[in-house]
Amino acid sequence: IVGIREEVAAYAVNLSEIPKLYDLARGEIPVLLDTVSDSYQSVKADSVFLDHLEVPKNLGILAEVLKDDLKRLSEVNVEKSADSLYNTKTRLEQLLILIEKEHSASHEVRVDMNNVFPVLDELLDNIQDLKDKAPVVQERFDFKDLVKDVSKFEARANTLNEHRQVIDNEVDAIKKPGTVVLVSMNEVKQDIEMLAKEFYDVLNSVNQANADEIRAKKQLMKLYLIINDVEVRIKKRSLPSISETYVYDLQKSRAYVRQIQDLLDQTILDVPTLNGTVSEAIDFIYKLHNNVNNLVGVVDMCENSIVYANKFRAYVSDIDSELTKAELAFNNGEYTQSLTMIINAVD
């Protein structure tokens, strides 16, 4: 009796599973078969290599397996049917995932090719450009082993360019899985990015040194003009007296520009010393220029004030006395004191 009950119970369980298995066999799996087939055709049309997945062969096999499972179901062979149907579903889902993975990998390869290979082309051009200038730059700015370093950069770039050609050919031939090509692409991409960083660090140093020299030459020209303007202003105003400080400052200014010119004339340019000297010269000479401008302004005010005060000189004896003292201070180069005395006299 116990055995009969167990068989009845098992039969009842099987009967409850059959509708679910029929849904799987006549619904989900046929839909999956169509979905995998459509995905395969669509992705294949997008020039993606899928031969290694043997999709048509696997679909044919799984379709035959499905027919056998339906036959077993009709014979109420639930256990074998269930195992086979769920295995078929899993294999179809995995196949769909693999197709999409190849599609995604192939797309990523193309995107990387469009983004990374132009970087390599630009890198090759810039390396060649620096290679042409390297001997002169190495000597001018005392860059140690620049010629050797650029040669190494060139060799690495040429090797990467060869790898690029291989990837181009593989993509065009469509004879390798996208996932495999992507591995190679990622390696080349990483190597290109690493080379670009190392090379452009060197190139930026070279460009900065060139820029510093160009800046120094332009500033030197400006400093010459400023010193000349200072001298012209002093001579043009025919200042009766000028303090020893201004004379010394002019001499120091000329020394600065001579020092800058000497540095620029050196075969090997000491860029740090050049930059420091230019910065000091700019601060000193621009300050001198401002001081002379202020001095000339005070002198103009003194002269104009004397001319104005002379109108009252004949009528006010105190003004005459103070103006005489102010004129004496003016002739002695004490322009600020002279201006103060004139203003106080008029007040």
Side-chain angles (χ1 to χ4, degrees):
I1 297 176
V2 174
I4 295 173
R5 287 177 178 175
E6 289 177 352
E7 289 181 8
V8 171
Y11 186 74
V13 170
N14 288 338
L15 286 177
S16 67
E17 286 295 319
I18 287 175
K20 297 177 184 177
L21 294 176
Y22 266 113
D23 286 341
L24 187 61
R26 295 189 180 280
E28 289 185 59
I29 290 177
V31 169
L32 271 173
L33 284 167
D34 290 341
T35 301
V36 171
S37 178
D38 291 344
S39 178
Y40 171 77
Q41 296 297 333
S42 174
V43 173
K44 187 82 172 175
D46 200 21
S47 301
V48 176
F49 181 83
L50 296 174
D51 293 0
H52 62 299
L53 298 180
E54 298 183 318
V55 175
K57 178 181 176 181
N58 280 302
L59 288 178
I61 292 172
L62 293 174
E64 289 300 318
V65 170
L66 178 61
K67 290 179 182 178
D68 292 340
D69 291 336
L70 285 169
K71 183 178 180 181
R72 291 192 192 98
L73 277 177
S74 66
E75 297 170 351
V76 197
N77 191 345
V78 176
E79 185 175 351
K80 286 187 177 181
S81 299
D83 290 341
S84 180
L85 286 169
Y86 283 116
N87 180 59
T88 297
K89 179 184 177 183
T90 299
R91 289 178 64 184
L92 287 170
E93 289 173 339
Q94 290 174 342
L95 201 54
L96 188 61
I97 290 171
L98 289 174
I99 293 171
E100 291 303 319
K101 188 175 181 181
E102 292 297 338
H103 193 199
S104 176
S106 295
H107 175 72
E108 188 174 345
V109 167
R110 293 191 183 99
V111 170
D112 285 344
M113 289 172 65
N114 291 332
N115 292 334
V116 177
F117 289 163
V119 173
L120 179 58
D121 289 333
E122 185 177 355
L123 196 55
L124 286 164
D125 290 341
N126 287 330
I127 289 174
Q128 183 60 50
D129 182 57
L130 183 56
K131 181 183 178 182
D132 295 339
K133 299 184 295 187
V136 175
V137 172
Q138 178 174 291
E139 181 179 5
R140 178 59 172 160
F141 300 108
D142 196 26
F143 281 109
K144 302 297 183 183
D145 299 324
L146 179 63
V147 173
K148 291 181 181 178
D149 290 341
V150 173
S151 295
K152 292 177 182 177
F153 287 141
E154 183 181 34
R156 289 167 62 185
N158 287 336
T159 299
L160 287 171
N161 197 38
E162 292 172 3
H163 292 330
R164 183 258 289 272
Q165 295 298 331
V166 171
I167 292 174
D168 278 337
N169 293 335
E170 288 176 346
V171 170
D172 290 341
I174 319 177
K175 291 184 178 180
K176 267 192 179 182
T179 48
V180 174
V181 179
L182 182 60
V183 172
S184 300
M185 184 67 231
N186 284 336
E187 291 175 355
V188 171
K189 177 182 177 182
Q190 184 177 0
D191 289 344
I192 289 174
E193 290 173 348
M194 186 180 301
L195 175 60
K197 182 183 184 305
E198 293 176 17
F199 172 75
Y200 285 118
D201 283 344
V202 172
L203 183 61
N204 288 338
S205 297
V206 171
N207 289 340
Q208 185 60 55
N210 278 321
D212 289 340
E213 181 178 13
I214 293 170
R215 171 180 172 272
K217 289 178 178 179
K218 290 181 178 179
Q219 289 297 331
L220 181 61
M221 182 60 65
K222 290 181 181 179
L223 295 177
Y224 274 128
L225 294 174
I226 290 172
I227 292 172
N228 182 66
D229 184 61
V230 169
E231 292 175 331
V232 168
R233 282 175 178 271
I234 291 174
K235 290 178 181 179
K236 184 178 180 181
R237 297 295 296 115
S238 300
L239 299 181
S241 176
I242 186 167
S243 69
E244 293 181 0
T245 300
Y246 285 104
V247 175
Y248 171 77
D249 287 350
L250 270 174
Q251 292 174 346
K252 188 173 180 179
S253 296
R254 295 190 192 100
Y256 266 126
V257 296
R258 281 196 301 272
Q259 187 178 356
I260 293 171
Q261 187 63 64
D262 289 343
L263 286 168
L264 289 170
D265 290 340
Q266 295 297 315
T267 301
I268 298 177
L269 183 62
D270 185 348
V271 175
T273 301
L274 176 67
N275 287 340
T277 304
V278 169
S279 295
E280 289 179 15
I282 289 173
D283 291 342
F284 185 84
I285 295 173
Y286 273 73
K287 183 178 179 181
L288 172 62
H289 187 250
N290 289 335
N291 290 340
V292 170
N293 282 341
N294 293 335
L295 174 65
V296 171
V298 171
V299 171
D300 287 340
M301 291 176 65
C302 282
E303 291 179 341
N304 292 334
S305 298
I306 290 172
V307 171
Y308 176 76
N310 276 334
K311 296 179 181 180
F312 309 100
R313 198 167 194 167
Y315 308 104
V316 183
S317 58
D318 289 344
I319 289 180
D320 179 53
S321 174
E322 290 300 316
L323 283 180
T324 300
K325 294 178 183 179
E327 288 170 346
L328 181 61
F330 181 86
N331 291 329
N332 289 333
E334 299 169 352
Y335 304 115
T336 301
Q337 181 181 350
S338 174
L339 180 61
T340 301
M341 295 171 66
I342 296 168
I343 293 173
N344 289 338
V346 173
D347 289 344

